[in-house]
Each structure stands twice: as structure tokens, then as C-alpha cells.
Amino acid sequence: MSLAIICPGKDPQPWIQAISKLDPELNIQVYPSIERPEDVEVALVWQHPEGILSDFPNLKLVSSMGAGVDHILRDSGIPEHLPIVRIVDEKLTWSMTNYVVMGVLNFHRQITRYQADQKRKVWDMSNPEIEVKVGVMGVGALGYDVLEKLDFMGFPVFGLGFSEKKDFPFPYYTKDQMELFLDQVNVIVCLLPLTPDTEDILDLEFFKKCKKGTYLINVARGKHLVEEDLLEALNRGYLSGAMLDVYRTEPLPESHPFWNEERITMTPHIASVTNPSAAAPQVIENFKLIKSNSPLKNPVNRIKGY
Ligand code: GLV
């Protein structure tokens, strides 16, 4: 039996080390040098080449290297019976929450404005704080933690999700209550999974419904955002700024207009990067669970897409 690591363009070494440390006996094969495809029972993947998973006749489980699984589900050739799991990890959640808190504080304390003032040697003490109310779209493990921590810090918070929720401890809205949700908030955090329902959700129509001057933080996927609509929304004043960690094309091409847009603060998809040492135990655990036909940790619902 063997575990295949398939992550073209990403260094597999930290994963190999973390997994071997926990289970030195486990045979690991790394794409593209998979010599015994018939031995592969678990595939640990990040943006695998489409169709490749059907090369492994004894595959029992597909595990994402991260929290997202859109990069797996885009492959329509994955056999129906194959379970898919994702990483839910405290360290991943902690990093994501810290990033979002930074974005919220950036807007609340207007750091972008003060950086621009510093460049121009401007001393402007007017209106040093913007009152913020934060709306988090996507209330899974990551979104929930963001809501909890921001609430603890004293910010009014509101959640939005795609399914009904009972006894949710924060004000909660479903997709069909989007306008009500947008009426409450002036910071939007996108932490939605990428599915056909959520692709392009952040478009001009959406921005028109936001309170004037809303601040956007997108830490989910580039495809949630219609990028030219963001520029239009900034120019029309629907939005006052944005902090982005994800883009439709990554790395962001040099010719992209976002590079020169002062109102957008950008980071290169680093908001929360899976730490292989922290995540490897659940990969091994799921390997054992699938072999004993036991319920898996962090299983993905293929219909829902997360
Ligand atoms: C990162 O983007 C992840 O899905 O973990």
C-alpha cells in the first residue's frame, strides 16, 4: 500500500518529511514518478492534473492538502464512490483569523490612508477611526472562528451562509436574505467555498447593494470576485477599498490593474497556508480510518461542494 502525493508546482518535501516522521513504514510515491500506481490507496493532492486519479485502480481516499476542495471537485472524472476529505486544522484557522482581523483593523484604523499620508508627508488627525460592522460570508470552521474572535474584540458581527442554521450564536442570514445582511455591515469578509453557486458572487450587482464605502476582504478564492467589477465599484464609490489574498489567475500577471490600485491591499495567497507538520496527523488518521471502514475526519459533501 502506498500514499501518492500529487501537487505539481508545489514542493512535496515538507509533506514527505511530516508524514514519514509519523509513519516511517508508509510508502510514499510522488507524482510524476509514480512507479506502482496499483499500490496507491490514498492520494494527497493540490491541483492535480485532471483525470489522473483514475490511474490508480485501488485508490480508496482523496485528501486535499488544504481547506479548499474546489481544486479537486473541478475534476469531473473522480469516481463517485471515492470519499474526499479536507484539512481542518487549528493552526490554519488561527492564521486565517489573524489575517482577517488584520484586514478589519486596517480598515477600522485606516492604515492604508496613513501609509499614503506618510508618503506625502501629510499630518491629518481627522476621523482616525471608522466604525465597523463585519459581515462574514461563509460560516464553516474558518468563518465561525473569525466571527467569534471579532465579537470578542467588540466588533458587531453578522454571518451569511447557504443553509439554514438553528441556534447560531451570531446574527445569521441565508443567501436569500443577502440584501438584509448587506444593510447591516460595512466590511465584507468572503470565506465561502467555491462552488457553482458562489462563483462570481462578488460582482457589480452585489457591490451596488453594499453600504456606500464598504470594505471587502477576499480570502476565499479568486473566482468569487469579478475583478473588473471591483475596480468599477471602487471608482463608483460603492466600495472604499479591498484587501485581497486570492485572484482569478495566480500568480497575478504583471499587467493586472490591481498592482497599481492604491485602494487595494494585496497579498499573494498566503492568508493561511497549510502547515504539513500540523496537518499530517489527520492525513494518516484518515488513512487508518478508511482501512477500517470507519467514519472519516472532515469529509467533503460532493453535492454541496465543501
Ligand atoms: C488554501 O487556499 C486552502 O484551501 O487551504
Side-chain angles (χ1 to χ4, degrees):
M1 79 183 179
S2 158
L3 175 138
I5 297 186
I6 309 173
C7 55
K10 205 177 165 93
D11 181 9
Q13 279 311 320
W15 282 100
I16 298 174
Q17 279 162 17
I19 291 170
S20 309
K21 203 166 158 192
L22 291 174
D23 189 345
E25 304 294 303
L26 181 59
N27 177 268
I28 300 176
Q29 304 191 66
V30 181
Y31 175 84
S33 324
I34 298 191
E35 281 161 12
R36 293 179 317 283
E38 64 285 0
D39 287 358
V40 173
E41 288 182 313
V42 177
L44 177 62
V45 303
W46 189 257
Q47 294 182 340
H48 66 278
E50 256 177 68
I52 194 160
L53 297 176
S54 45
D55 290 357
F56 311 122
N58 297 313
L59 188 60
K60 294 187 170 54
L61 175 69
V62 183
S63 175
S64 172
M65 279 188 172
V69 288
D70 47 294
H71 61 102
I72 299 179
L73 298 176
R74 76 186 150 81
D75 182 351
S76 55
I78 302 180
E80 292 281 319
H81 69 275
L82 261 187
I84 299 172
V85 291
R86 67 195 192 93
I87 302 292
V88 177
D89 158 50
E90 274 176 21
K91 167 71 181 62
L92 199 69
T93 308
W94 187 74
S95 296
M96 183 57 91
T97 298
N98 287 347
Y99 184 99
V100 173
V101 167
M102 171 183 69
V104 170
L105 292 178
N106 180 39
F107 179 59
H108 171 56
R109 300 308 306 259
Q110 302 175 74
I111 296 307
T112 307
R113 166 187 151 197
Y114 292 118
Q115 279 170 340
D117 282 357
Q118 182 178 348
K119 265 196 200 145
R120 293 172 200 126
K121 300 188 179 162
V122 170
W123 184 273
D124 175 5
M125 291 173 71
S126 64
N127 308 318
E129 285 182 19
I130 294 179
E131 198 183 311
V132 300
K133 294 187 177 174
V134 186
V136 178
M137 297 170 68
V139 295
L142 298 175
Y144 188 82
D145 195 63
V146 167
L147 286 166
E148 247 188 343
K149 302 269 166 64
L150 286 172
D151 173 63
F152 178 77
M153 291 174 75
F155 293 107
V157 292
F158 303 80
L160 178 128
F162 275 52
S163 45
E164 299 286 339
K165 289 213 184 295
K166 270 203 189 130
D167 304 325
F168 198 70
F170 304 105
Y172 178 76
Y173 299 81
T174 49
K175 189 184 145 203
D176 39 320
Q177 298 168 312
M178 183 69 88
E179 292 192 24
L180 271 178
F181 168 77
L182 293 177
D183 277 350
Q184 313 299 322
V185 301
N186 63 347
V187 175
I188 304 275
V189 178
C190 179
L191 264 167
L192 289 164
L194 182 66
T195 67
D197 277 341
T198 65
E199 185 163 344
D200 295 334
I201 192 166
L202 304 171
D203 64 0
L204 199 60
E205 282 313 301
F206 175 95
F207 297 136
K208 270 186 195 165
K209 293 180 195 139
C210 290
K211 274 196 196 158
K212 206 169 159 34
T214 287
Y215 188 71
L216 172 72
I217 301 173
N218 188 17
V219 276
R221 286 288 181 261
K223 284 188 177 167
H224 287 120
L225 174 66
V226 180
E227 293 180 339
E228 57 276 23
D229 287 7
L230 170 60
L231 294 171
E232 182 78 26
L234 288 169
N235 291 338
R236 292 202 204 172
Y238 302 145
L239 296 184
S240 58
M243 181 170 247
L244 304 179
D245 186 53
V246 288
Y247 311 89
R248 294 189 91 92
T249 307
E250 296 179 5
L252 192 70
E254 262 185 50
S255 57
H256 200 288
F258 284 177
W259 289 112
N260 298 321
E261 177 48 71
E262 273 194 11
R263 291 166 294 185
I264 301 179
T265 303
M266 293 196 297
T267 51
H269 203 147
I270 49 70
S272 178
V273 179
T274 313
N275 174 336
S277 308
Q282 61 189 273
V283 175
I284 306 272
E285 190 182 345
N286 270 329
F287 198 171
K288 291 184 181 147
L289 291 170
I290 194 95
K291 290 193 85 75
S292 61
N293 272 326
S294 307
L296 297 168
K297 269 191 104 168
N298 310 317
V300 170
N301 178 329
R302 283 218 212 176
I303 313 274
K304 285 188 174 170
Y306 54 91

